[in-house]
């Protein structure tokens, strides 16, 4: 199949991305060619482009890993029923056959492929990826959502969904979400849909207001507060909500040094802390607190692609919302959108559409 494909390439750190032809050969065995409907702009893309986080693949490289689209070609060994199907492309694609994958640890598969990091990503008209874990999108969901906006399920929604699963959060427990924007608003939604009491922390009043409108039981503006003051404010808010004073589930989604400092300061008896956001900042911490509190800190690298159908079911049933939190931009506006994301000027998740 001959495809006139284009992509926007990162050519060097800090430099504008460049539009170039994308050379796609015949679809390799085990892979699928997907015509991109939308690709979300993630904090990880900003880290690659502006914050000196190296990609695993060589530059020039098209970034973007929150991708939805339509399968237009499949390689040898791929189920042909995928042809012409709308799909989500998992942000991290495990091999499915190694020992880690077979034992259920697909998120740390050592053969994993991440579009926009290991190979060409979704800021393009088309993309070729391993087909094993492509997630078809059912017609019932597309009656309520456009395919482009579902692209953010691939990371912004599925990653906090995975984190809440990891936490074992139950109805009536207290979940604290640090960073109410970006992936944080979806952490708020997921935790609230589990029946938990949710306190959102942020330095942006508008983001806190949005969190309160979408499941948070309380919000705290932490602007200018010390870690000690934040802990006191959370304790007081928990008391007014009649939430348990222990076994808090803490989700750090801001991907910032201050956010992670706050998360560590909130650790208490039986607490569980999930590190969901990414930062290069280094912090000091006394590990013996984990022993004294019988607490847990757990990393969260993306999500297992096998949970995607469950996430889509929650969207279909209305337990989660995506439309209020995304905005559509033409792919040719990628550079100004990336700059706006870097500068914190976007109120919604930007989705680039070819």
């Amino acid at each position: 199949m001959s495809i006139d494909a284009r992509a926007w390439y990162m050519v060097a750190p800090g430099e504008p991305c460049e539009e170039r032809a994308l050379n796609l050969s015949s679809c390799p065995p085990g892979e699928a060619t997907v015509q991109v409907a939308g690709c979300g702009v993630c904090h990880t893309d900003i880290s690659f482009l502006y914050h000196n986080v190296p990609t695993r693949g060589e530059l020039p490289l098209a970034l973007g890993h929150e991708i939805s689209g339509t399968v237009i070609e499949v390689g040898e060994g791929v189920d042909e029923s995928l042809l012409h199907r709308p799909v989500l492309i998992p942000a991290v694609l495990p091999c499915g056959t190694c020992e880690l994958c077979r034992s259920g640890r697909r998120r740390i598969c050592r053969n994993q492929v991440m579009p926009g990091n290991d190979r060409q990503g979704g800021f393009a008209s088309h993309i070729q990826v391993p087909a094993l874990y492509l997630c078809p999108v059912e017609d019932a969901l597309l009656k309520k959502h456009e395919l482009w906006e579902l692209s953010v399920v691939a990371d912004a929604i599925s990653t906090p969904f995975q984190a809440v699963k990891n936490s074992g959060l139950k109805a009536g427990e207290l979940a604290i979400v640090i960073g109410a924007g970006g992936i944080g608003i979806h952490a708020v939604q997921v935790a609230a849909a589990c029946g938990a009491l949710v306190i959102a922390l942020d330095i942006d009043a508008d983001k806190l207001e949005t969190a309160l409108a979408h499941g948070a039981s309380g919000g705290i503006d932490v602007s200018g507060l010390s870690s000690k003051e934040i802990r006191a404010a959370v304790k007081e808010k928990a008391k007014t909500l009649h939430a348990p004073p222990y076994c808090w589930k803490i989700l750090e989604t801001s991907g910032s040094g201050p956010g992670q400092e706050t998360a560590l300061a909130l650790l208490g008896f039986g607490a569980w802390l999930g590190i969901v956001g990414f930062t290069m900042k280094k912090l000091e911490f006394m590990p013996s607190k984990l022993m004294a509190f019988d607490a847990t800190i757990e990393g969260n690298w993306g999500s297992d692609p096998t949970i995607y159908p469950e996430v889509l079911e929650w969207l279909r049933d209305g337990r989660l919302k995506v439309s209020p939190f995304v905005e559509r931009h033409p792919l040719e506006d990628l550079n100004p959108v990336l700059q706006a994301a870097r500068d914190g000027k976007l109120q919604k998740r930007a989705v680039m559409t070819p």
Side-chain angles (χ1 to χ4, degrees), residues 50-95:
Y50 296 114
H51 298 157
N52 297 313
V53 176
T55 59
R56 291 193 291 256
E58 293 184 0
L59 302 181
L61 182 77
L63 303 177
H65 56 271
E66 291 186 343
I67 312 163
S68 61
T70 302
V71 177
I72 61 170
E73 184 182 13
V74 296
E76 182 182 350
V78 177
D79 186 349
E80 292 192 359
S81 68
L82 277 174
L83 272 173
H84 313 304
R85 295 286 301 276
V87 296
L88 299 181
I89 300 174
V92 178
L93 291 151
C95 72

Side-chain angles (χ1 to χ4, degrees), residues 185-309:
I185 188 60
H186 301 298
V188 167
Q189 288 194 90
V190 175
C194 290
L197 298 165
V198 183
I199 297 176
L201 309 184
D202 209 290
I203 58 175
D204 186 315
D206 290 337
K207 290 176 181 177
L208 288 171
E209 185 176 340
T210 300
L212 289 168
H214 290 88
S217 307
I220 300 173
D221 188 334
V222 297
S223 302
L225 299 183
S226 67
S227 295
K228 186 176 180 179
E229 290 169 329
I230 293 171
R231 182 175 176 84
V234 170
K235 280 187 172 182
E236 184 60 31
K237 181 69 72 174
K239 188 182 297 184
T240 63
L241 294 173
H242 305 289
Y246 39 73
C247 297
W248 293 349
K249 305 296 196 268
I250 306 161
L251 296 117
E252 204 304 294
T253 65
S254 73
S256 69
Q260 291 189 354
E261 287 178 358
T262 296
L264 293 171
L266 291 174
L267 280 174
F269 292 105
W272 177 93
L273 165 59
I275 304 297
V276 188
F278 175 82
T279 176
M280 294 289 282
K281 299 289 185 182
K282 295 181 180 180
L283 306 176
E284 288 188 1
F285 177 68
M286 187 172 72
S288 291
K289 286 186 176 181
L290 297 178
M291 177 274 292
F293 290 139
D294 199 20
T296 302
I297 300 177
E298 185 171 345
N300 193 100
W301 176 247
S303 64
D304 187 324
T306 63
I307 73 169
Y308 277 45

Side-chain angles (χ1 to χ4, degrees), residues 2-351:
S2 176
I3 300 172
D4 181 20
R6 307 288 293 177
W8 287 78
Y9 290 86
M10 174 183 173
V11 293
E15 296 296 321
C17 294
E18 295 182 3
E19 184 185 14
R20 301 180 181 180
L22 175 62
N23 182 24
L24 292 182
S25 58
S26 297
C27 203
E31 300 205 0
T33 303
V34 177
Q35 183 173 347
V36 175
C39 183
V41 174
C42 178
H43 183 74
T44 304
D45 301 311
I46 305 306
S47 296
F48 289 146
L49 187 58
Y50 296 114
H51 298 157
N52 297 313
V53 176
T55 59
R56 291 193 291 256
E58 293 184 0
L59 302 181
L61 182 77
L63 303 177
H65 56 271
E66 291 186 343
I67 312 163
S68 61
T70 302
V71 177
I72 61 170
E73 184 182 13
V74 296
E76 182 182 350
V78 177
D79 186 349
E80 292 192 359
S81 68
L82 277 174
L83 272 173
H84 313 304
R85 295 286 301 276
V87 296
L88 299 181
I89 300 174
V92 178
L93 291 151
C95 72
T97 59
C98 69
E99 182 180 357
L100 284 168
C101 286
R102 294 197 306 271
S103 65
R105 300 301 303 273
R106 283 172 285 270
R107 288 186 294 136
I108 55 171
C109 167
R110 296 300 77 215
N111 303 313
Q112 65 182 225
V113 172
M114 181 178 178
N117 185 2
D118 295 295
R119 57 154 70 185
Q120 303 301 345
F123 294 145
S125 61
H126 299 77
I127 186 172
Q128 285 180 337
V129 291
L132 180 60
Y133 289 108
L134 292 181
C135 178
V137 179
E138 302 299 330
D139 291 342
L141 187 59
L142 291 174
K143 289 179 180 178
K144 299 180 179 180
H145 299 86
E146 294 189 60
L147 184 57
W148 67 266
E149 64 184 9
L150 294 175
S151 63
V152 300
V153 171
D155 189 6
I157 300 180
S158 60
T159 295
F161 192 95
Q162 179 75 66
V164 172
K165 271 186 170 291
N166 293 349
S167 76
L169 183 66
K170 298 181 178 63
E173 292 187 325
L174 179 63
I176 302 164
V177 179
I178 301 169
I183 63 176
I185 188 60
H186 301 298
V188 167
Q189 288 194 90
V190 175
C194 290
L197 298 165
V198 183
I199 297 176
L201 309 184
D202 209 290
I203 58 175
D204 186 315
D206 290 337
K207 290 176 181 177
L208 288 171
E209 185 176 340
T210 300
L212 289 168
H214 290 88
S217 307
I220 300 173
D221 188 334
V222 297
S223 302
L225 299 183
S226 67
S227 295
K228 186 176 180 179
E229 290 169 329
I230 293 171
R231 182 175 176 84
V234 170
K235 280 187 172 182
E236 184 60 31
K237 181 69 72 174
K239 188 182 297 184
T240 63
L241 294 173
H242 305 289
Y246 39 73
C247 297
W248 293 349
K249 305 296 196 268
I250 306 161
L251 296 117
E252 204 304 294
T253 65
S254 73
S256 69
Q260 291 189 354
E261 287 178 358
T262 296
L264 293 171
L266 291 174
L267 280 174
F269 292 105
W272 177 93
L273 165 59
I275 304 297
V276 188
F278 175 82
T279 176
M280 294 289 282
K281 299 289 185 182
K282 295 181 180 180
L283 306 176
E284 288 188 1
F285 177 68
M286 187 172 72
S288 291
K289 286 186 176 181
L290 297 178
M291 177 274 292
F293 290 139
D294 199 20
T296 302
I297 300 177
E298 185 171 345
N300 193 100
W301 176 247
S303 64
D304 187 324
T306 63
I307 73 169
Y308 277 45
E310 184 179 4
V311 178
L312 293 183
E313 182 181 332
W314 283 40
L315 283 166
R316 188 193 66 207
D317 295 346
R319 283 177 279 178
L320 298 177
K321 291 182 170 61
V322 64
S323 301
F325 309 113
V326 293
E327 57 186 20
R328 184 176 188 169
H329 297 266
L331 187 55
E332 56 264 30
D333 289 348
L334 179 62
N335 283 315
V337 170
L338 289 171
Q339 292 166 6
R342 176 198 60 189
D343 297 337
K345 294 181 178 179
L346 299 178
Q347 291 301 311
K348 297 183 178 184
R349 192 79 156 191
V351 177

